[in-house]
Amino acid sequence: MPQLSLIMENEYNRHWNWHALTALKLLAMDIVENRMPLFSQPLMGHAQVLVQQLITDLKTSIENIPEAEHNERAAHLHHYLEGVRMVSNQLHTYRNLIHKRDAERSNMLDEVCQKMLVVTMTIAVYYPNYDPLESLVHDYLITLEMHEHRRNWHYIHQQLIQQTSNTDIKLVAMNVIRECRPSQHKNICWRRLAYNHHMLELLSNLLHYHDRATQFDQVLIDSLLHWEYYDDDFICYYIQYIEKSLEIAASSESKKNVLAQFYTHIEKMRPTNPAFCFSVATEESDSLPPVKMLLMQILNFHSESMENK
């Protein structure tokens, strides 16, 4: 079945004259099946030529689609970038298998995977209107991110455990770490990778400049709200927080004051730059209202319910 899938994919590539992508896949097969000796100069030269050909092939095929067919162009571009990513992931997996017994060969494969990143980054410059950064990040880059930022994320993880006291907020904090820390166990798009970098910086600064005399639980929740962090666990927590705060308010006047405080908090929400985005775009996530609008709708619902009583 994998061989049949490759044949069908190669037919698709031939239809669009994607000869370089077919050549890249065949090169990867030769490497993985040990049909090609990994000599540094010939391999690097071949990979460099392929990078240029990959970019040229994609640009040529996109220009052959009418400019008015925006969605078709975008789908075409993402299909191509996914093909490059899959080859890179295949080589990276093979690199991990041979790393301990053949460090030199694994280093060469790292260089090839590095060159594959250039394709996506170059296309992102040429065609920003087709959201190339919504494509998935290569496993090779995720591995680099894990090595580079492991200590920083570990420090933030430990600090959040120590400084949060409420169990629900501690769970929210741990989920932030789980969702934003680099991991080989989940796919993320390039846009989310940039957002995760920014969250690392925001959390580091929050912990560094936090006044120990102020309760950190509330500071963390207010910060995530202010940054428009749109993760399910956090939003569910915050909606429950609103409802519980209203429940324990003793009088109608107290409930109005509670709502007024929440309105003030939510009015201060400002998206980070880069703004929050889901790890992978889906129809469900695309259909969600902006987080600020969602929370305002909930406050308006409670406000109207109180007025109708």
Side-chain angles (χ1 to χ4, degrees), residues 12 20 162 197 250 257 264-265 303:
Y12 185 94
Q162 290 174 21
H197 281 174
N257 290 336
T264 300
H265 276 305
S303 180

mmCIF file of all heavy atoms in Angstrom, residues 12 20 162 197 250 257 264-265 303:
data_model
loop_
_atom_site.group_PDB
_atom_site.id
_atom_site.type_symbol
_atom_site.label_atom_id
_atom_site.label_comp_id
_atom_site.label_asym_id
_atom_site.label_seq_id
_atom_site.Cartn_x
_atom_site.Cartn_y
_atom_site.Cartn_z
ATOM 1 N N TYR A 12 0.367 12.505 -9.501
ATOM 2 C CA TYR A 12 -0.120 13.861 -9.206
ATOM 3 C C TYR A 12 0.991 14.870 -9.459
ATOM 4 O O TYR A 12 0.776 15.929 -10.068
ATOM 5 C CB TYR A 12 -0.577 13.926 -7.742
ATOM 6 C CG TYR A 12 -1.217 15.242 -7.345
ATOM 7 C CD1 TYR A 12 -2.595 15.425 -7.395
ATOM 8 C CD2 TYR A 12 -0.432 16.306 -6.901
ATOM 9 C CE1 TYR A 12 -3.167 16.622 -7.022
ATOM 10 C CE2 TYR A 12 -1.004 17.516 -6.533
ATOM 11 C CZ TYR A 12 -2.383 17.666 -6.587
ATOM 12 O OH TYR A 12 -2.952 18.860 -6.227
ATOM 13 N N ALA A 20 10.756 18.142 -9.256
ATOM 14 C CA ALA A 20 11.696 18.249 -8.137
ATOM 15 C C ALA A 20 11.163 17.532 -6.899
ATOM 16 O O ALA A 20 11.924 16.909 -6.162
ATOM 17 C CB ALA A 20 11.969 19.717 -7.820
ATOM 18 N N GLN A 162 5.024 25.937 41.775
ATOM 19 C CA GLN A 162 5.308 26.493 43.104
ATOM 20 C C GLN A 162 4.429 27.696 43.432
ATOM 21 O O GLN A 162 4.001 27.857 44.579
ATOM 22 C CB GLN A 162 6.782 26.910 43.182
ATOM 23 C CG GLN A 162 7.757 25.748 43.189
ATOM 24 C CD GLN A 162 9.199 26.218 43.125
ATOM 25 O OE1 GLN A 162 9.507 27.363 43.453
ATOM 26 N NE2 GLN A 162 10.107 25.333 42.686
ATOM 27 N N HIS A 197 6.651 30.729 20.975
ATOM 28 C CA HIS A 197 7.856 31.484 21.334
ATOM 29 C C HIS A 197 7.480 32.713 22.154
ATOM 30 O O HIS A 197 8.127 33.032 23.158
ATOM 31 C CB HIS A 197 8.585 31.950 20.064
ATOM 32 C CG HIS A 197 9.391 30.887 19.414
ATOM 33 N ND1 HIS A 197 10.028 31.075 18.207
ATOM 34 C CD2 HIS A 197 9.688 29.622 19.785
ATOM 35 C CE1 HIS A 197 10.674 29.980 17.863
ATOM 36 N NE2 HIS A 197 10.477 29.084 18.799
ATOM 37 N N ALA A 250 -24.115 37.924 47.193
ATOM 38 C CA ALA A 250 -25.243 37.817 48.132
ATOM 39 C C ALA A 250 -26.501 38.516 47.656
ATOM 40 O O ALA A 250 -27.618 38.088 47.973
ATOM 41 C CB ALA A 250 -24.826 38.372 49.496
ATOM 42 N N ASN A 257 -22.263 44.408 40.572
ATOM 43 C CA ASN A 257 -20.879 44.843 40.779
ATOM 44 C C ASN A 257 -19.887 43.813 40.243
ATOM 45 O O ASN A 257 -18.853 44.166 39.653
ATOM 46 C CB ASN A 257 -20.621 45.092 42.266
ATOM 47 C CG ASN A 257 -21.349 46.320 42.774
ATOM 48 O OD1 ASN A 257 -21.678 47.219 42.003
ATOM 49 N ND2 ASN A 257 -21.617 46.353 44.079
ATOM 50 N N THR A 264 -15.026 45.146 32.945
ATOM 51 C CA THR A 264 -13.802 45.959 32.948
ATOM 52 C C THR A 264 -12.586 45.115 32.566
ATOM 53 O O THR A 264 -11.756 45.525 31.743
ATOM 54 C CB THR A 264 -13.575 46.580 34.343
ATOM 55 O OG1 THR A 264 -14.695 47.403 34.676
ATOM 56 C CG2 THR A 264 -12.308 47.415 34.357
ATOM 57 N N HIS A 265 -12.498 43.914 33.154
ATOM 58 C CA HIS A 265 -11.377 43.015 32.833
ATOM 59 C C HIS A 265 -11.367 42.655 31.356
ATOM 60 O O HIS A 265 -10.324 42.702 30.694
ATOM 61 C CB HIS A 265 -11.480 41.727 33.660
ATOM 62 C CG HIS A 265 -10.895 41.839 35.026
ATOM 63 N ND1 HIS A 265 -9.600 42.250 35.257
ATOM 64 C CD2 HIS A 265 -11.433 41.588 36.253
ATOM 65 C CE1 HIS A 265 -9.363 42.247 36.553
ATOM 66 N NE2 HIS A 265 -10.461 41.852 37.184
ATOM 67 N N SER A 303 -26.264 39.447 32.304
ATOM 68 C CA SER A 303 -26.808 40.781 32.578
ATOM 69 C C SER A 303 -28.287 40.855 32.203
ATOM 70 O O SER A 303 -29.124 41.365 32.970
ATOM 71 C CB SER A 303 -26.019 41.824 31.792
ATOM 72 O OG SER A 303 -26.514 43.118 32.025
#
